[in-house]
Amino acid sequence: MATIHLDRLTKAYGALKVIHGITLDIEDGEFVALVGPSGCGKSTLLRMIAGLEPITGGEIAFDQKRVNDLSPSERGISMVFQSYALYPHLSVRKNLSFGLENLRMKRPEIDARVQEAARMLELEGYLDRKPKALSGGQRQRVAIGRAIVRQPKVFLFDEPLSNLDAKLRVQTRGEITRLHRQLGTTMLYVTHDQVEAMTMAQKIVVLNAGRVEQVGTPLDLFERPANLFVAGFIGSPRMNLYKGTVAEAPDGTRYVTSPETGRLEGHVVGVEPGRDIKIGIRPSHFALGEGAGAQWLDVDQVESLGHETYLHGRLNGAATTTIVHVQNHLEAAIGDRIGVVARAGHAHLFDSESGLRLGEV
């Protein structure tokens, strides 16, 4: 196991800078996910940590030891890629043992490690099969097993589940999470799928254009996004965003208002009246209802999943599309007009220019 420290890490290809001075600490035994849109630099950052990509500037340290000039094999890491990268002509057993044999490890130790990895990943009945005789999920488990037998200080995963179907992704997510609990090894996991990050990681690093936007627990990022980018990226479906204004009542009380949400009462501190802001409300933070504070949603689309319903529509006739999440089946149809209320304390406020978080009401 190991701690990882990145200090002002940069990467450039000629004049093109892709990683901009990232500083990050990963604790011993921590499961950390790197997330962000395609092209944000997350896989490049992972390859720099692995030693597969030379760095332009800054430092990488494992357990406070500088590893900038060490080869991947000297860093004590194992990496699992998006493609399984198995040897098609070798059995599962030989795929698992191949790297250890190259290290000239003694046969009893090799066999013991292979058997233990096979037991942990439930591959014992497949050791004599070739990769072509395995399902996608089984092949990915072999790829993970090949990393396990090396007993690394750090596991690095580069979008390992993207080639699997939805059912296998859910199953393999659980297997990797269980594996982390068993091994207690530091794991760094790159994914574009925020559901993977939210359900697996202890800490999430949100990247955008080679910069860190926010670091925190899944709940931190969901409940207190640092800026508009994180607010729009974390959460599925996306957060609803509206243009709004801070106003002040005759008694000095400040509140926020917009054509879509109407007046939202709350304790607005440190934001001057008249300031243009962005109001963010997650689909799950609307409640159905009429009366005080309710707005009218004109339904354009209904997604019924049996145990939950998503309503897509326009609040108060505005052009902006709003998504409302209902935690059960709702009999609704296109063209219906439904009353919805924003839950108190769940409307996020952001500065319109900088995008930074201002608070919530």
Side-chain angles (χ1 to χ4, degrees), residues 247-325:
E248 188 171 69
D251 63 359
T253 302
R254 294 177 186 177
Y255 60 92
V256 297
T257 183
S258 82
E260 291 95 338
T261 66
R263 176 170 171 161
L264 297 174
E265 304 286 354
H267 191 49
V268 183
V269 179
V271 186
E272 63 276 11
R275 183 172 181 176
D276 290 334
I277 60 170
K278 289 278 190 179
I279 302 170
I281 304 175
R282 296 202 180 278
S284 56
H285 290 155
F286 280 105
L288 301 183
E290 300 179 11
Q295 312 300 319
W296 292 108
L297 180 75
D298 293 309
V299 178
D300 295 327
Q301 180 184 352
V302 179
E303 294 179 329
S304 180
L305 304 180
H307 63 295
E308 58 185 347
T309 305
Y310 292 96
L311 303 175
H312 300 246
R314 292 162 290 111
L315 278 179
N316 299 329
T320 307
T321 297
T322 289
I323 303 174
V324 173
H325 176 217

Side-chain angles (χ1 to χ4, degrees), residues 167-183:
K167 182 179 179 181
L168 276 176
R169 280 202 301 273
V170 173
Q171 177 184 331
T172 312
R173 282 205 311 259
E175 291 170 351
I176 294 174
T177 304
R178 174 175 55 83
L179 188 65
H180 177 254
R181 287 199 305 268
Q182 286 182 301
L183 299 175

Side-chain angles (χ1 to χ4, degrees), residues 112-132:
R113 291 193 185 191
V114 168
Q115 282 299 134
E116 177 61 13
R119 182 194 64 78
M120 293 175 67
L121 296 168
E122 299 180 1
L123 291 170
E124 293 159 300
Y126 304 94
L127 287 173
D128 296 319
R129 294 191 187 184
K130 300 284 181 65
K132 66 180 180 181

